[in-house]
Amino acid sequence: MMARADTPGRLRRLELLAVQLKQGSHCTVKDLAQQHGVSPRTIARDLALMRDHHGMQIDADRGRGGGLRLDRNWGVGRLNLTYGDAVDLLISIAVAQQMNSPMFLANLDSVRRQLVASFSAEKRKKVDQLKSRILVGVTASTYVQASADAPPKRVVQALHQAFIAQEVLEIAYRREDGETSNRRIEPHYLLLKYPVWYVVAMDHLRGGPRTFRCDRIMAATRTDQSFRLQKPEAFGPDLAKGELSV
């Protein structure tokens, strides 16, 4: 019998399995077991549950190279988001609206209201604070855009988590001259100068504010050391306008 504590994890895994199979990508029970960190037997039980209790039509191709797929005529159904997923989506909508792009904005306000309504009053307050810490400034210069690159995924994940948790981050940062230095930073604000992201931080090495280009962060490690959020004025008068000079 499955332990009660495992139920949320299993429900989340079932949702992800449905999405994977709907996408039609080649996958086997062994592949899925490795991706989700469980045994093939557990995946087989999950698939049986999806067939028997949720009515999902899961087909299996026999023979060498065979795999699993979800019938394309079957809809994944209700979209279930974790709190973290909903926060990320809500913040992404806020950034899109701040950029005033004329495309795809017609229904964003409706989506935003539905997401906000799914939060408790306490969580809405936390989300509002997070949104206030993400700023959109002027478009990056052509010079900056020419030298910009996508930051490593592991860096993005660590920065994302430290930013939300208000946690000190240890980074390896490549300066404009190519030299790399190790820093301990407090990621107070994120600034988008499209398409380049910056983290506005307190730099422990300098003992003061500093702005770092996210694509120049080569490595990032969380420290579990929290910091107290400071007001934008601590980083200069232009930060609140999203027009920090970098």
Side-chain angles (χ1 to χ4, degrees), residues 81 85-101 103-116 131 134 136:
L81 299 175
D85 292 338
V87 168
D88 286 352
L89 182 55
L90 189 60
I91 291 174
S92 297
I93 290 173
V95 170
Q97 290 177 320
Q98 287 185 60
M99 292 181 68
N100 292 319
S101 171
M103 299 297 289
F104 312 115
L105 290 181
N107 297 314
L108 281 187
D109 199 50
S110 173
V111 175
R112 181 189 60 78
R113 287 197 301 268
Q114 293 179 61
L115 285 170
V116 169
K131 286 165 54 180
I134 299 177
V136 177

Side-chain angles (χ1 to χ4, degrees), residues 195-213:
V196 184
W197 282 95
Y198 298 84
V199 55
V200 183
M202 283 296 173
D203 181 2
H204 288 196
L205 181 65
R206 289 193 172 184
R210 173 78 192 276
T211 301
F212 299 90
R213 256 177 59 174

